[in-house]
Amino acid sequence: MTVLFQARGLRKAFGNGEHRRYAVDGVDITVAEGEALALAGESGSGKSTIGLIMARLLDHDEGEILFDGQEIGKCSARRAAQQPWRAQIQMVFQDAGGAFDPRLSISDSVALPLRRLSHSRGNALTHAVEDALDRAGLAGHLFRRKPHELSGGQLARAGIARAIALRPRLLILDEPTAALDVSVQAGILHLLNELRRDLNMAMVFVSHDLNVLRVLCSRVMVMEHGNIVEEGPVGRVFASPAHPFTTRLLAALPKWPRSEGLPHQLPGSALIIHSQ
Amino acid sequence: MPVLAPLLTVRRLSLAFALPQGGRASVLDGLSLDIAPQEALALVGESGSGKSVFALALLRLLDRHAEITDGEIRIEGEDLLHASDKRMQDLRGKTLAIIFQNPASSLNPIRRIGRQIADVLLAHGERSADAARRRAVQMLARVGIQDAARRANAYPFELSGGMKQRVMIALALAASPRLLIADEATTGLDVTTQAMVMDLIHEQARANNMATLLITHDLALAAERCDRIAVIHAGQLVESAPAARLLTAARHPYTRALLTATPHAGSTLANLRAIPGQAPDTAAADLPACRYYARCDRRTELCKSLPPMQTASSNGAHVVACHHPL
Amino acid sequence: MKYGSSALLLALFLALAIAGPAVAPYNPLAYALADRLQPPSLHHWFGTDALGRDVFSRTLAAARTDLPAAAAAVILSSLIGVSVGAACGYLGGAIDRWVGRVVDVMMAFPLFVVAVALVAALGNSLTNVVLATAVINLPFYIRLVRAEIAARRQLGYVMAARLAGCGHGYIIGRVLIPNIAPIIAVQISLNLGWAVLNTSGLSFIGLGVRPPTPEWGALVSDGAQYLLTGQWWVALGPSLVLVLAVFAFTLIGDTAHDLFSPRSAR
Amino acid sequence: MNASLISFVLRRVLTVLPVLVGATVFTFVVMRLLPADPAAFLASGPGMGAADIAALRAKLGLDRSLPVQFGLYAWQLLHGDFGHSFVTGNPVALDLLQRLPASLELACGGLLIAAVIGMPLGIAAALRPGSLFDTACRALAVLGGALPGFVIGVFLIYLCYFKLSWAPEPTGQIDAALSAPRIVTGFLVIDSLLAGNMTAFASALGRMVLPSLTMALFALAPVMRMTRAAMVTALASDYIRSSRALGLPNRLVLRYALENAGAPLITMFGLIFSYMLGANVVVEKVFAWPGIGAYALDGLQAADYSAVQGFILVVAAVFAAVNLLVDLLCGWADPRIPRAA
């Protein structure tokens, strides 16, 4: 697995004077090509801050950032828009509704990055926009709709379409399914997994929902108060957590009766109901 | 669970909202369910299913656009729908209490927490202000706040997030209600805080033989924390059963679909499946009799025309409303 | 309904201002001492003033002074206010703090104080009154736009625009300001009402417009003298028209405000 | 606990400084923009040659560099020397001190009446959003907002004095025939009461009615609109919904809302009060009321710029004092403010 993204010694503080607090306090992250990495932690753990720093939307105080072997941390977030690697790193936001300019139709919003960064125009642009929206599983008659006319699930798909339109090599997703109903969430998780496989796109999932991260990612980094407390393959970390915080996090998850596979797959199979 | 007279009885409750742009949305359609004393019932449904409207209807806190078109609600035998406003005011807090989503913002930001709890006690029978203040400090201690006497003088903004959740629970339990409704009370909270809040509610319920109604979209949370689960879809009760039974032998297609869509400890991406389509617009004129019709893979013409009849299991514990249950 | 009626009223005033002189039954400046101080009649709808001039024609002509003056003041203050506010809201930091401090000081001076000072310094002319009205309204725009932009700066679609390679100019000009345009429009319509109020108020106390230029405030001021001798109509006509004009502007502002405020949008 | 309160008070007092400094700079710049050179103007008496003008310029310090002039000017101000008014002949500071109470009397009286009428209406409208009463209040507020102070004043005089003769003649604070009571507070109504001079008291009070009513009508619209907005926000909050759900009696729920609307309401009154200081000028002209506004207007007409300059400084100082008072009251009304600042 070739290393695509590497950050070392990331530190970021907010507030000044005695209120100064390190949201990110010395974090190292490595993401391989096409990998699905989970960044797990509770609110206030600094996971979203790291997401913004990786997407170069937020300046960090210390630490270096390498993308494809090239140092990109020195350039400030304000000037990131003009950098050659801008199209290579994209992000999907938690509040899908707030992620779209209320005045523009969905296809116009998806066209914006294509127009600005890949300078495509006319038919090529329209084709690229429609391809991205199709790939994200959005129905054609929704393309010209305004954001407030779409459901939560449709907006999530449109957000993903916009992010993959430029075929970035690294995609950061901040709580992609937190605002969605369970019935719609599963569809988005399948879509993300297919896109990652088909487009060989590395994805970093920032979330507090361990169950979602377990089904989607291969590697997990657990964060608490700005530090990575544990890191490793999802299976091992979730099965036998080493760090007390991870243990407490997993213990707090609502317990589902332990059963082989789904309760309903084998009609009449005897299931061991985990005593309450 | 010995069969006692139900604490709360809801029969055929139907409710409609007058929409600002005209038309009426029938948000609840013939909802019937009971809660036995000290029972922990979960009402599980997706956003827009009407579960929170149901909670507000129980407390008659709905705004003037809502109208209860049919049905009956009785608490300890007393008819709530026709109770006077004064009587409802007495019942709220003393018999029925509720905690809303993001409980921290339910505290009056500029009033000391001790006084807020004392206000509830004074509103429900406590005569002397001093006694009310003393009992308020005891309540704070009971919900696990250390140094309660000093903390009672603090303002909400001086407390941590977790402590504010505890104070809200102390407020709700101050007048020792018979039924505590938690309406998405832990949605958006961290998993560890959620566990603390649910433990606290469970512990207080057992200590004061109080029934609880957990309203949530999280089926896993409901399964772990409640004796029985009722599933609601677009304002219709589709199924209710003891928790373990619902998980292992659900009979309604929607409950089944929810189970296969909810990620949990044992699930993998392969066996996770989304539910096609969306919940119907309850203001639409051509609403099918069973509102899961558009998304159901077992639907027939019958489901469109005839409202699904509720059939109960032999001991009456497992009820399902479907023409073609699994 | 409310929205429609105020728009109609406003259209009437705009037509009045443009077509004023052509429509006026009499020449607003022509004396006719013979029919001095006549009460309202079919010939003179608003009656005549002490110099026998037709009050109705003068009120019509006054629209050509007041409305353009108000418009000029509002355009001036909104253009400067919106750009300064946008810069502060978007950039934040030192510029935001300093401008905030200056705005606080500017708010310390009620309109009449600034107008009195400007007129004292630069001379008694309508331009100075327009300048004073603009200066006074500036802080409202700066604070409004600064707050609205700052609130939206962290929103997803702004960050998405940055991800799409858009520079700050594009984000402020093509994303943020168009999204708050309706809110600015509400402030502009409210402001127009205030501007007419201010201009006429100043000329009522003799600042800005010098006789014989017809201006609503000045007309009411002339009329006021004759109130105590029973000729109520000299002041009534212009006052009614002035109040209606201000009412039309503020009504549109008030109704539009409900349209855009989150509460009513639900 | 009170340490943070003291530091809050001190910090707030400091915020007054920029406003005062800003005001001084503003008046200094305005004075320097004057078309006429003050020295030449003052020395334009018969037989005054170029040498005399130059001498006068030196005496007035006008020949020194601007910063020095500003220093001199500021120093004078600190000593209460606002210059002399050649219209009244006495120091501007004295004139303003005598006339300030008359202006404050109007502004406070007007605001008080507006509050007594406006707040209950605003609260009642907020309690019944969307009702006929609510829409009526809003329409009244918009209409009130559209009524210029001078139109209200003029027609009140016509109606109440000329037509119905309820109100006394609108000329000045007290009937010219009566002797003004000894000045204690400068508020004629109070001073006459203190002096036990009932006829003067009745006359002063009677004469105050119309001008304060004009100011009140002028302030009624913003008071009503902002009270309604503050109450609607408070009533729509989570803590009100949960206090109802806890069975608290309605009057306690209303009290919760009122307490939380306190800080925004106080800020609103501060804003409206300073806004009314401007309206004073017009009302004082209409009612020939001897306030600082009328004084500044006369100064302007007579090109007596020291008077105008003094007026601007006094208004800025009053505004700064009002803001400080508002900040402190907000700190008391909402405990979060002192601790968060």
Side-chain angles (χ1 to χ4, degrees), chain D:
Chain D
M1 181 63 77
N2 48 24
S4 73
L5 210 58
I6 292 170
S7 72
F8 164 68
V9 170
L10 283 180
R11 265 201 313 281
R12 277 298 188 264
V13 169
L14 291 182
T15 58
V16 167
L17 291 185
V19 173
L20 293 183
V21 167
T24 327
V25 168
F26 179 70
T27 47
F28 178 76
V29 164
V30 162
M31 285 302 127
R32 290 306 167 277
L33 289 176
L34 284 188
D37 170 356
F41 184 83
L42 285 173
S44 61
M48 291 291 235
D52 309 306
I53 295 174
L56 196 60
R57 279 179 65 82
K59 187 164 96 48
L60 289 172
L62 293 178
D63 51 0
R64 300 243 275 284
S65 68
L66 275 180
V68 171
Q69 280 184 36
F70 179 69
L72 222 153
Y73 170 66
W75 184 252
Q76 278 170 352
L77 291 187
L78 283 179
H79 288 72
D81 170 7
F82 281 26
H84 268 71
S85 149
F86 55 80
V87 167
T88 61
N90 30 29
V92 168
L94 187 63
D95 286 343
L96 290 172
L97 211 58
Q98 282 166 350
R99 289 174 173 73
L100 186 57
S103 290
L104 291 182
E105 206 175 36
L106 275 194
C108 298
L111 200 55
L112 196 66
I113 300 172
V116 164
I117 302 170
M119 284 182 75
L121 286 179
I123 292 169
L127 287 173
R128 278 182 292 282
S131 64
L132 198 61
F133 178 83
D134 181 22
T135 4
C137 282
R138 298 231 330 246
L140 183 68
V142 169
L143 184 64
L147 283 176
F150 58 91
V151 167
I152 305 171
V154 158
F155 281 96
L156 270 182
I157 293 176
Y158 176 71
L159 204 62
C160 303
Y161 167 66
F162 181 72
K163 274 290 183 201
L164 306 170
S165 58
W166 288 345
E169 194 200 358
T171 51
Q173 272 183 309
I174 195 161
D175 189 331
L178 297 170
S179 60
R182 200 168 48 76
I183 302 294
V184 173
T185 63
F187 291 92
L188 224 54
V189 174
I190 299 167
D191 288 352
S192 50
L193 210 58
L194 292 176
N197 177 340
M198 278 335 206
T199 43
F201 171 73
S203 163
L205 197 63
R207 289 191 174 235
M208 248 190 80
V209 168
L210 275 196
S212 352
L213 206 58
T214 309
M215 296 290 281
L217 279 174
F218 180 76
L220 188 61
V223 166
M224 203 155 45
R225 192 172 53 246
M226 290 190 190
T227 311
R228 181 183 176 283
M231 276 306 286
V232 163
T233 320
L235 288 168
S237 61
D238 282 354
Y239 59 85
I240 289 294
R241 180 185 58 171
S242 71
S243 58
R244 283 206 181 102
L246 290 165
L248 296 188
N250 286 340
R251 55 173 172 59
L252 186 57
V253 172
L254 187 61
R255 187 172 145 202
Y256 273 20
L258 277 171
E259 278 172 359
N260 277 278
L265 283 181
I266 292 171
T267 319
M268 167 200 81
F269 272 104
L271 201 64
I272 294 179
F273 183 79
S274 53
Y275 189 64
M276 283 172 80
L277 288 180
N280 258 39
V281 179
V282 173
V283 174
E284 285 170 19
K285 177 171 196 300
V286 168
F287 289 92
W289 196 261
I292 56 174
Y295 177 70
L297 259 187
D298 301 341
L300 195 62
Q301 253 102 28
D304 177 6
Y305 294 121
S306 314
V308 173
Q309 171 188 309
F311 165 71
I312 295 170
L313 288 173
V314 162
V315 167
V318 167
F319 177 81
V322 163
N323 264 3
L324 181 58
L325 184 66
V326 161
D327 269 350
L328 300 183
L329 282 177
C330 281
W332 162 76
D334 185 339
R336 288 172 291 190
I337 295 176
R339 289 163 186 76

Side-chain angles (χ1 to χ4, degrees), chain C residues 2 101 104-105 107-123 136 140 143 194 197-198 200-202 204-207 216-217 220-221 223-224 226-232 235-237 239-240 242-244 246-248 250-251 254-255 258 263 266, chain D residues 18-19 22-24 26-27 29-31 33-35 135 138-139 142-143 145-151 154-155 157-158 161-163 170 218 225 228-229 232-233 236 271 274-279 281-282 285-286 296-297 300-301 305 308 311-313 315-316 319-320 323:
Chain C
K2 206 160 80 166
R101 189 92 5 94
D104 289 345
V105 170
M107 296 290 266
F109 297 97
L111 166 80
F112 283 81
V113 172
V114 172
V116 160
L118 280 184
V119 164
L122 307 173
I136 275 305
F140 291 102
R143 281 199 170 161
W194 295 341
L197 263 184
N198 297 342
S200 52
L202 287 175
F204 179 83
I205 55 172
L207 296 179
W216 285 326
V220 174
S221 174
Y226 298 93
L227 268 180
L228 299 188
T229 50
Q231 288 85 5
W232 47 271
L236 184 64
S239 304
L240 271 181
L242 167 62
V243 168
L244 271 177
V246 177
F247 184 68
T250 29
L251 195 63
D254 191 70
T255 8
D258 295 345
R263 213 180 28 279
R266 214 195 354 250
Chain D
V19 173
T24 327
F26 179 70
T27 47
V29 164
V30 162
M31 285 302 127
L33 289 176
L34 284 188
T135 4
R138 298 231 330 246
V142 169
L143 184 64
L147 283 176
F150 58 91
V151 167
V154 158
F155 281 96
I157 293 176
Y158 176 71
Y161 167 66
F162 181 72
K163 274 290 183 201
F218 180 76
R225 192 172 53 246
R228 181 183 176 283
V232 163
T233 320
L271 201 64
S274 53
Y275 189 64
M276 283 172 80
L277 288 180
V281 179
V282 173
K285 177 171 196 300
V286 168
L297 259 187
L300 195 62
Q301 253 102 28
Y305 294 121
V308 173
F311 165 71
I312 295 170
L313 288 173
V315 167
F319 177 81
N323 264 3

Side-chain angles (χ1 to χ4, degrees), chain A residues 1-6 30-37 67-69 88 167-171 195-197 199-204 218-219:
Chain A
M1 290 278 252
T2 57
V3 171
L4 173 67
F5 176 97
Q6 191 162 31
T30 317
V31 186
E33 196 97 39
E35 183 185 20
L37 172 67
F67 179 72
D68 221 359
Q88 308 267 316
R167 293 294 183 278
R169 294 170 62 202
L170 172 62
L171 187 58
L195 288 174
R196 184 178 57 79
R197 228 188 26 250
L199 306 174
N200 191 23
M201 193 184 287
M203 289 191 181
V204 175
S218 50
R219 199 159 58 91

Side-chain angles (χ1 to χ4, degrees), chain A residues 42-43 151 154 181-183 185-187 190 193 211 214-215 248-249 252 254-257 262-264 271 273 276, chain B residues 46-47 190-192 220-221 223-224 247-248 256 259-265 267 269 271-275 278 295:
Chain A
E42 299 204 313
S43 54
S151 74
Q154 290 162 344
D181 276 313
V182 154
S183 57
Q185 179 184 52
H190 280 290
N193 195 49
N211 287 326
R214 173 192 292 112
V215 298
R248 202 152 45 82
L249 214 54
K255 254 110 20 254
W256 191 278
L262 259 176
H264 310 294
L271 292 162
I273 305 298
Q276 218 60 15
Chain B
E46 297 184 281
S47 48
D190 289 327
V191 148
T192 44
L221 182 67
E224 183 189 47
L247 291 185
T248 56
R256 275 290 175 78
L259 287 167
T260 52
T262 305
H264 53 77
S267 52
L269 192 56
N271 49 37
L272 264 186
R273 272 191 306 287
I275 307 175
Q278 290 161 352
R295 306 169 80 179

